[in-house]
Amino acid sequence: MSSSRSFLAAAVLLSLPLTLASCFGEGSVKQGTGNPPDDGGTTCAAKNDNDAVRLALAPACEGCHVNGNKPIFASLAAFESGLVYNEKYVKRGDPANSLLVQMLKGNAPGSYPQMPPGQPYDDLVASGRVTMTIAQVEDWIRELPEPTEQLDVPSPTEFRVRRLSAEEMVVSLMDQLGLTLEDFVSTSNPDWRNRAYVVNWNKFFIWPGDWAPGISGEYVSDLRAVERYEGLGGGNSLTYRKKDAVFGPSAGQTLVQMSQAWCGRAVDKTNNTAVLRYVTLADNSTKSPDLVKKNLRNLYLRMLGQSPSDAELTALFEQVYLPLEKQSTRLAWVGVCAALVRHPLWITY
């Protein structure tokens, strides 16, 4: 983020339904031409036939494969190198023996006979969720040209930005704020790890429904913990719920509440220096201005992974810290912490 861009301007980004992985629009190419329409780069038009297939399959596949260990839908380069010209999945000219087609039909060998799991691909076509039929996929494989030499050459222009997944948000924020699981759940019973969690009120606990040992519904006593996780875009393999690669209104609303609640927990936690490393709540901008700014600089570095410029530090101090300090120093540090969590540099990877 440039130094001239304020924290208030950055916060506006949270109101937008951001897709921070790839452009999964409705752009397409005429089959066989290999050329995108001339739109001046203003739409999400496919770059070639392979990209048209990627965009057509994305609504069914991107939830699991836009990141993780098989991010083959993250970009055209990833799609072509990881799937299109990977003979494990696609055999050029031979759709019947291509694992991709077999998985779409639900008769593939191995541990994953059907992809995407949970619903036949033909049902997704019938519902309008995807527009490319299995027959069209087979035609594409029959006519698939040889790969270009460019596939073997790293592209310096292939730069990808994606939103953090729900798992990354939960785990990273706990670590950055010096929080642990025990800060959110009741541990008074010696056998608490083998019992249903008693989630204390006003702690905004967030927990995925299928994290071990969460197979039992008794593991989490408050279903809102799971609902919040899904609001962040988290998936649930037990209910065939895919991850949401888009940072939309639900994720934004949940992150706003999560950042405020969790930052409050971190500030109030005894002997926790994650947020208040160089100051205490007794220090303020009048009595200890240098310490306040030193702590702001440290917190910025801790949360965003880079040191702030002088302009960014001034914006954080004047636009976030000082207005809230008029009410209390606690609220000021909770507000600063929450603003950094909602910063685009924190949300994206």
Side-chain angles (χ1 to χ4, degrees), residues 243-256:
K243 298 177 182 178
D244 190 351
V246 177
F247 192 87
S250 294
Q253 182 182 35
T254 303
L255 185 61
V256 167

Side-chain angles (χ1 to χ4, degrees), residues 44 80 91 96 98 120-121 124 145 187 220 254 276 295 302 322:
C44 294
E80 288 187 326
K91 297 185 182 299
S98 294
Y121 183 82
L124 298 177
T187 60
V220 177
T254 303
L276 304 178
N295 200 71
R302 180 179 180 86
L322 287 181

Side-chain angles (χ1 to χ4, degrees), residues 8-77:
L8 297 180
V12 174
L13 291 176
L14 292 175
S15 65
L16 302 177
L18 300 178
T19 301
L20 298 171
S22 293
C23 185
F24 297 124
E26 298 189 6
S28 62
V29 301
K30 183 178 180 181
Q31 187 68 22
T33 66
N35 296 316
D38 184 9
D39 59 12
T42 58
T43 69
C44 294
K47 297 177 181 178
N48 57 28
D49 286 351
N50 293 340
D51 203 23
V53 174
R54 178 182 73 96
L55 296 173
L57 295 178
C61 306
E62 64 164 325
C64 295
H65 296 295
V66 79
N67 51 43
N69 62 346
K70 293 185 184 298
I72 52 181
F73 279 81
S75 68
L76 173 58

Side-chain angles (χ1 to χ4, degrees), residues 273-326:
T273 59
V275 176
L276 304 178
R277 181 175 182 181
Y278 296 110
V279 296
T280 68
L281 294 181
D283 296 307
N284 58 40
S285 59
T286 301
K287 183 168 60 176
S288 311
D290 291 340
L291 287 180
V292 169
K293 290 183 178 181
K294 183 178 181 179
N295 200 71
L296 285 171
R297 187 178 295 276
N298 176 76
L299 189 57
Y300 188 106
L301 174 62
R302 180 179 180 86
M303 303 303 294
L304 304 184
Q306 65 182 46
S307 297
S309 65
D310 291 341
E312 288 168 330
L313 185 64
T314 298
L316 186 60
F317 179 65
E318 295 180 351
Q319 299 180 29
V320 181
Y321 179 85
L322 287 181
L324 294 174
E325 190 196 54
K326 294 177 181 179

Side-chain angles (χ1 to χ4, degrees), residues 21 38 156 230 328:
D38 184 9
E230 294 177 352
S328 71

